[in-house]
Amino acid sequence: MRRAKFKAAAVAFIASATLASATLASAPAQAEIASGAVLANTCFSCHGTDGKSAGDMPTIAGKSEDFITRKLKAFKSGELEATIMNRIAKGFTDEEIAALAKFFSRR
Amino acid sequence: MTELTRRGFNKGLGATTALGALSLSGIAPATAAGKAQVVVVGGGFGGATAAKYIKRFDPKIGVTLVEPSKRFVTCPFSNTVIGGLNTIDYITHGYDALKGLGVEVVHDSAAAVDGAKKQVRLAGGGSIGFDRCIVAPGVDFRWEAIEGLDAGTAARIPHAWKAGAQTLLLRKQLEAMADGGVFVISPPVNPFRCPPGPGERISLVASYFKTAKPRSKIIVLDPKEKFSKEGLFKEGWAALYPGMIEYRNLAEDGLVRRVDPASRTLYTDFGEETGDVVNFIPAQKAGKIAQVSGLADKTEWCPIHPRSFESTLQPGVHVIGDASIAAPMPKSAFTASTQAKVCAEAVVNLLRGAAPGAPKFINVCYSLVGENYGISVAMVYGYRDGRIVKIEGSGGLSPSGATPEFRRKEADYTRGWYESISRDIWG
């Protein structure tokens, strides 16, 4: 039940960014770039391309979806303290966090 | 909350782009007719990222990068070269990785971008046609805003705000300066590239003086009332370089009216300062190619649609990075690179006849106050009502009064950021 709901929310989120544009824009849509990728790309500047860090930031590629989700939510709530990730995580909705977790867990 | 406006904007943008494409070229979007061509002008943080990410999103799209330099020297971390912590090689990057992805790299300058004819004219002759063009020209200096200086005097009074020869020149002058000398630095008015950059430069020059020339002094003449991360920088200066830095802001007669390059004297309304080394960072505007191609408005910066970074003045041409008007995002390397990724996604979608997705950006500006003393400012940005907006509750500065361990960690992350972003872009 909980899982199904979560999945539905993630799908709905991914759909919202891309489908909204695809269906409403007058031009025909081809395979669009998943919004998860667009969200995740901005993280690469610190965490490395695809989350494979080249420096001191942790590599997040290949961590489990659950691990990434838990960490980001803990940074967001302040339960877990970091130098900068609290400030960053607060900028993302739970749906976006789910999309990010999905993206990086599959790298 | 943003869903309605998002849709509304998409609809509008989709319609105008489709019409634009039809009226300009009389054909359907390029992918229908064959291989789409994108020309990227400028191989810095914005341009090189855009070239790479278009290929990443769709390797079939032809991408040509026009960049005069064979090797690119980054402004980020150039302060570490000026402060003697790194060599210039460390901040110099080539284009082989981009070539490996299939990007055609043309080492020439763009003389003009013609949105109507859909071509980029090259300074060395010839032109390259495009379906869409991404211009990332960085900044140029408004020499006219300061009496006594011009591009020629930069050989004596370096700006070092474009990295490379200027970085090395300033380093050389500081090395040649005797202990007990005076370094005068004057940061620019807003808006300018890298808002915390002057603070970091002052810091790393102080770090160099502290070990190599401890009797030396730094005088800062700032034409502004406040500067980025001011509280954190001043806290760090008091801790690491007590008594070395004298900072004067606008209210304290910090506005420089005139510079005499021969004597290295800066004249303010009520006084003057002569330095053994003077670093004057001029006021700025969008890079020249933007000015000559009708991409800049009367502010001398480039207005864009914040969702796609398509110019509001030249359809089919996108402007990213320092040159674009993308407030509240700062003019930083991080911003340029993350804008480039959003722009690349938008360009690929537009070439496919689809509308761009929803943009979301992070910006982090790390600065070194000392080798093991880092500070940061961060912000997450979204898109609402046709504008780029700060996400409420996100971002902000490193805490004041943090532990040395915290500052040390952020210094390591400063280096980590540079490693990751430069590898992300230049391989």
Side-chain angles (χ1 to χ4, degrees):
Chain A
M1 174 67 195
R2 200 168 152 242
R3 200 181 157 80
K5 214 170 158 188
F6 169 77
K7 232 176 162 177
V11 170
F13 164 69
I14 288 170
S16 69
T18 49
L19 282 189
S21 37
T23 48
L24 287 165
S26 48
Q30 289 185 16
E32 294 206 23
I33 297 152
S35 64
V38 176
L39 274 178
N41 286 343
T42 191
C43 306
F44 298 177
S45 298
C46 288
H47 288 281
T49 311
D50 288 320
K52 292 164 190 160
S53 177
D56 267 63
M57 280 79 166
T59 282
I60 45 179
K63 303 271 191 227
S64 78
E65 215 170 315
D66 180 57
F67 175 87
I68 300 169
T69 306
R70 269 193 295 115
K71 282 273 190 182
L72 284 174
K73 285 190 173 171
F75 286 137
K76 190 178 168 183
S77 71
E79 187 192 326
L80 197 60
E81 276 191 39
T83 53
I84 202 167
M85 278 309 298
N86 304 96
R87 293 179 260 162
I88 303 288
K90 283 178 184 148
F92 292 87
T93 63
D94 287 355
E95 290 76 14
E96 288 169 331
I97 286 175
L100 287 169
K102 188 176 236 171
F103 179 92
F104 285 112
S105 67
R106 292 173 183 189
R107 300 291 123 173
Chain B
M1 112 210 111
T2 58
E3 223 33 47
L4 272 177
T5 46
R6 209 183 261 169
R7 288 175 189 184
F9 183 80
N10 269 338
K11 207 171 173 182
L13 184 63
T16 38
T17 324
L19 282 177
L22 283 173
S23 59
L24 283 171
S25 56
I27 53 158
T31 35
K35 191 173 161 182
Q37 288 294 334
V38 175
V39 177
V40 180
V41 176
F45 282 83
T49 304
K52 171 173 174 171
Y53 276 77
I54 286 175
K55 279 290 182 191
R56 220 176 113 98
F57 286 129
D58 189 344
K60 292 195 294 296
I61 294 174
V63 179
T64 304
L65 175 67
V66 180
E67 161 60 45
S69 309
K70 293 227 159 84
R71 317 253 309 143
F72 184 80
V73 186
T74 65
C75 272
F77 268 60
S78 64
N79 285 331
T80 71
V81 176
I82 289 163
L85 300 175
N86 284 309
T87 63
I88 197 97
D89 289 343
Y90 180 68
I91 60 164
T92 304
H93 306 278
Y95 295 98
D96 288 350
L98 284 176
K99 288 178 193 162
L101 292 171
V103 174
E104 194 182 332
V105 182
V106 174
H107 291 297
D108 197 347
S109 296
V113 175
D114 189 331
K117 286 190 189 154
K118 299 215 162 214
Q119 61 180 30
V120 173
R121 209 152 39 73
L122 298 174
S127 62
I128 311 170
F130 60 78
D131 295 296
R132 286 194 174 264
C133 181
I134 301 174
V135 184
V139 297
D140 256 348
F141 298 119
R142 294 179 55 231
W143 292 112
E144 66 279 10
I146 181 72
E147 192 187 333
L149 295 183
D150 55 37
T153 57
R156 183 164 171 84
I157 311 284
H159 52 76
W161 219 243
K162 292 184 181 194
Q166 279 279 305
T167 309
L168 291 172
L169 174 65
L170 180 54
R171 174 66 192 164
K172 215 173 105 191
Q173 291 185 350
L174 290 166
E175 280 177 334
M177 191 187 91
D179 188 12
V182 176
F183 171 57
V184 185
I185 175 170
S186 182
V189 291
N190 292 322
F192 67 101
R193 157 182 286 179
C194 191
E200 186 186 62
R201 176 164 299 173
I202 293 157
S203 304
L204 295 185
V205 170
S207 146
Y208 168 62
F209 285 171
K210 189 180 177 179
T211 47
K213 295 163 193 195
R215 295 190 299 115
S216 307
K217 214 172 141 59
I218 300 175
I219 295 171
V220 188
L221 298 174
D222 195 336
K224 301 183 290 301
E225 278 167 7
K226 51 185 184 170
F227 65 100
S228 176
K229 303 181 194 166
E230 180 165 355
L232 290 170
F233 274 119
K234 286 186 169 171
E235 180 186 326
W237 295 344
L240 302 178
Y241 319 113
M244 188 184 281
I245 301 161
E246 188 183 320
Y247 202 103
R248 284 180 228 155
N249 68 13
L250 179 64
E252 296 156 337
D253 197 29
L255 173 63
V256 176
R257 296 287 187 184
R258 179 166 70 89
V259 179
D260 176 34
S263 64
R264 292 198 173 96
T265 303
L266 298 87
Y267 296 89
T268 59
D269 281 330
F270 302 104
E272 58 183 76
E273 289 293 346
T274 299
D276 296 293
V277 178
V278 172
N279 177 202
F280 188 93
I281 306 161
Q284 292 158 34
K285 60 184 176 185
K288 189 179 172 197
I289 185 70
Q291 310 290 344
V292 302
S293 302
L295 293 165
D297 65 15
K298 61 180 191 308
T299 67
E300 300 187 287
W301 300 99
C302 304
I304 46 102
H305 294 289
R307 190 154 196 153
S308 59
F309 290 84
E310 184 164 3
S311 167
T312 61
L313 304 175
Q314 293 254 25
V317 181
H318 302 245
V319 183
I320 54 174
D322 293 346
S324 68
I325 301 172
M329 298 187 83
K331 299 187 184 302
S332 74
F334 196 127
T335 286
S337 183
T338 197
Q339 287 176 349
K341 291 169 182 179
V342 165
C343 178
E345 183 260 1
V347 162
V348 171
N349 271 329
L350 290 165
L351 289 170
R352 291 172 177 181
K360 184 112 187 188
F361 318 85
I362 297 170
N363 177 65
V364 178
C365 292
Y366 278 108
S367 307
L368 291 173
V369 183
E371 190 173 3
N372 296 312
Y373 192 121
I375 56 175
S376 62
V377 62
M379 186 53 65
V380 183
Y381 301 90
Y383 174 85
R384 195 193 306 146
D385 301 337
R387 290 168 181 275
I388 295 171
V389 293
K390 294 179 178 179
I391 303 291
E392 218 175 293
S394 78
L397 295 157
S398 309
S400 61
T403 61
E405 291 71 34
F406 193 102
R407 303 291 190 224
R408 161 108 214 186
K409 253 189 177 170
E410 287 216 286
D412 289 339
Y413 289 147
T414 306
R415 287 180 275 270
W417 167 79
Y418 186 77
E419 291 284 344
S420 279
I421 196 169
S422 40
R423 194 174 300 176
D424 185 34
I425 300 170
W426 292 282

